[in-house]
Each structure stands twice: as C-alpha cells, then as structure tokens.
C-alpha cells in the first residue's frame, strides 16, 4: 500500500499542468506557442503535432516512470 500511494502522489506534486500542457513530449521544448489553440499542440522546436488532449497524460506518464523506485 505504501508503494502504491507514493507513486500516485508524486506526479501530482511535481507536475504543473500548465507547463506540462505546453511542453513537447518529443523533445521537451516548453513554449506557450506550442499551444496555438486549446485543443491543438504543435511544437515550435521539432514540429511534433497532435491533438492537445493527450499531451499532459504523456508527460505525466513519462515522469511517473522516472520516479518509480523500482520496476517489478
Ligand atoms: Zn518538440
């Protein structure tokens, strides 16, 4: 239970949704111009583009993997 709670809590504390939604999951470039509209993401650095809905989840999932104390 302790292990599970720790994983669930860490991303909430460390990830800032506003910055995450502007940060490219492909190259890490953070720019408000990456979000020309609320529903669209287009990286100004590498050109990565996709519907904006999936961006925060991708970034949070990536950090969650990094923060896990062990795998398996
Ligand atoms: Zn990029």
């Amino acid at each position: 239970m302790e292990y599970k709670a720790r994983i669930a809590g860490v991303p909430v504390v460390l990830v800032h949704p506003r910055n995450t939604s502007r940060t490219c999951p492909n190259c890490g470039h953070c720019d408000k111009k990456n979000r020309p509209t609320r529903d669209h993401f287009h990286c100004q650095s590498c050109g990565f583009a996709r519907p904006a809905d999936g961006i925060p989840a991708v970034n949070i999932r990536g950090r969650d993997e990094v923060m896990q104390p062990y795998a398996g």
Side-chain angles (χ1 to χ4, degrees), residues 24 27 43 46:
C24 177
C27 73
C43 180
C46 74

Side-chain angles (χ1 to χ4, degrees), residues 24-29 34 41 43-48:
C24 177
N26 188 46
C27 73
H29 181 69
N34 284 357
F41 182 94
C43 180
Q44 301 300 300
S45 180
C46 74
F48 179 86

